[in-house]
Amino acid sequence: MFADKYIERVIRTRSHLCVGLDPILERFPSVILERAEKMYGKTPKGAGHAIFEFNKLIIDTIADKVPIVKPQLAYYEKYDHFGVAAFWQTVEYAQKRGLLVIADAKRGDIGTTSQAYAEAFYKSTEDEWVSSIAVDAVTVNPYLGSDGLEPFVNLSIGNDKGTIILVKTSNPSSGEFQDQITEASGKSISELVCDYINSRSNPIGKYGFSDVGAVIGATYAKDLARFREILPNSLFLVPGIGYQGGDVKQLALAFNEKGLGAIISCTRAINYAYQTVGVSEEEAKASILKAVDSFNQSINSALIEAGKFFSDEVLM
């Protein structure tokens, strides 16, 4: 199961940190862009080359420090098929380095279209025309209802894939829809999504989690504890620390009593931890490594303070 593989990598690395991979070209070390421009010019092909080179730099730096990475599709798709190719190259390279990969795609549609999206990311299909490169999990938007979710959940169950459904996102306007109470149920939209997640939370893995997870933003700390109570068997993908200002000290609320169950996402504060684009690649690596070590320490310290830092007993 995806959930079991994630927990086992957490135990191995002593880290709950997920490093986002959101390529912003103007923030890359200039030496990487200069090489790409020399080879391909300032073109989408050059951008795709630079993205993959920068992602390799990050992955090589953090591969033994974190369990998982999360590339955001929009940053790749803007560079045409060259950017999409860089995304799949990144997926393959990260997995070869022992990392799990979440595609932050937030897909959502109905019927055969949703099925095609699921097959695009999971590759759990007998179609001989598609490649075998697949992500380990994907984020999905529940706005279209179960029609949009079922193809992902059905294809992920039994295929060691994770479906991570948006529940309470980290952005300032999330409550405009997600917090609204429905008259018929007396529950918020987010809570109705939780009901769906719980209905599809079998099988449960050996560490107590299913392969159907939830996105719960760190910027709404009071909701972390509430949703952990509602969704005891779901992994939480928790964005919002770093530039969005989520309080690391409150992150323990997203974990169960054994100190497991959350994937803490941080992107720009790690990707671009160096001070200037004029850095060398080695200087960039050193800054990224320092940022990862700092976030790992902060997250683990918060868990220790809350009495939730996991022990090797969770393996028993």
Side-chain angles (χ1 to χ4, degrees):
M1 292 181 64
F2 164 74
D4 288 347
K5 289 191 290 186
Y6 172 70
I7 296 298
E8 285 165 2
R9 282 163 174 76
V10 165
I11 293 166
R12 188 180 71 210
T13 59
R14 293 295 193 267
S15 171
H16 305 274
L17 185 61
C18 170
V19 176
L21 297 173
D22 296 4
I24 303 172
L25 262 62
E26 59 267 26
R27 301 187 68 177
F28 283 12
S30 56
V31 292
I32 292 178
L33 289 182
E34 288 166 3
R35 283 201 304 268
E37 183 180 355
K38 186 176 181 180
M39 295 172 67
Y40 303 110
K42 288 186 176 180
T43 64
K45 187 174 183 179
H49 177 82
I51 288 169
F52 183 47
E53 290 301 307
F54 184 58
N55 284 351
K56 285 197 296 183
L57 180 150
I58 296 173
I59 290 166
D60 288 342
T61 303
I62 67 171
D64 297 327
K65 295 286 186 174
V66 302
I68 196 163
V69 293
K70 181 179 67 65
Q72 213 312 326
L73 263 294
Y75 291 91
Y76 299 81
E77 291 172 337
K78 68 180 287 188
Y79 296 110
D80 307 336
H81 63 282
F82 300 105
V84 174
F87 167 82
W88 287 111
Q89 287 175 311
T90 297
V91 171
E92 186 175 33
Y93 189 78
Q95 290 172 338
K96 286 181 178 178
R97 290 302 313 267
L99 292 160
L100 296 173
V101 180
I102 299 171
D104 194 355
K106 300 182 178 70
R107 294 297 192 252
D109 216 299
I110 59 173
T112 56
T113 306
S114 189
Q115 181 69 28
Y117 274 136
E119 291 176 359
F121 289 106
Y122 296 148
K123 298 298 195 315
S124 300
T125 173
E126 296 181 358
D127 188 342
E128 295 178 352
W129 292 86
V130 302
S131 79
S132 60
I133 305 171
V135 300
D136 298 288
V138 63
T139 57
V140 182
N141 190 326
Y143 192 74
L144 277 76
S146 59
D147 287 351
L149 298 172
E150 287 294 295
F152 287 92
V153 175
N154 289 338
L155 201 56
S156 66
I157 291 174
N159 288 308
D160 300 333
K161 305 298 181 185
T163 300
I164 305 176
I165 300 172
L166 306 183
V167 172
K168 177 61 179 176
T169 55
S170 59
N171 55 302
S173 64
S174 65
E176 291 176 3
F177 296 148
Q178 296 166 14
D179 294 351
Q180 297 305 304
I181 305 298
T182 63
E183 185 175 352
S185 68
K187 296 181 178 181
S188 69
I189 300 297
S190 289
E191 289 168 341
L192 291 177
V193 177
C194 291
D195 288 345
Y196 172 83
I197 292 173
N198 280 328
S199 75
R200 297 308 312 270
S201 288
N202 283 311
I204 303 295
K206 60 183 177 180
Y207 302 104
F209 297 98
S210 80
D211 280 347
V212 183
V215 175
I216 311 288
T219 47
Y220 299 98
K222 66 178 182 179
D223 289 327
L224 290 172
R226 180 167 67 91
F227 285 117
R228 175 47 69 203
E229 184 176 345
I230 296 172
L231 297 169
N233 302 118
S234 293
L235 291 175
F236 285 3
L237 174 60
V238 185
I241 64 170
Y243 284 7
Q244 291 189 62
D247 187 357
V248 174
K249 293 181 180 178
Q250 299 295 317
L251 289 177
L253 298 172
F255 293 78
N256 68 10
E257 291 307 310
K258 293 184 177 180
L260 298 171
I263 305 168
I264 309 301
S265 176
C266 185
T267 303
R268 286 172 291 170
I270 292 173
N271 291 181
Y272 311 110
Y274 42 85
Q275 298 300 309
T276 172
V277 297
V279 296
S280 68
E281 289 172 281
E282 289 306 313
E283 289 169 333
K285 286 182 178 181
S287 295
I288 290 167
L289 181 60
K290 182 178 180 181
V292 166
D293 285 342
S294 177
F295 277 110
N296 275 334
Q297 182 177 1
S298 297
I299 294 165
N300 288 340
S301 294
L303 289 170
I304 290 169
E305 186 173 340
K308 287 187 174 183
F309 189 76
F310 67 88
S311 69
D312 290 332
E313 293 176 1
V314 299
L315 288 169
M316 300 174 63

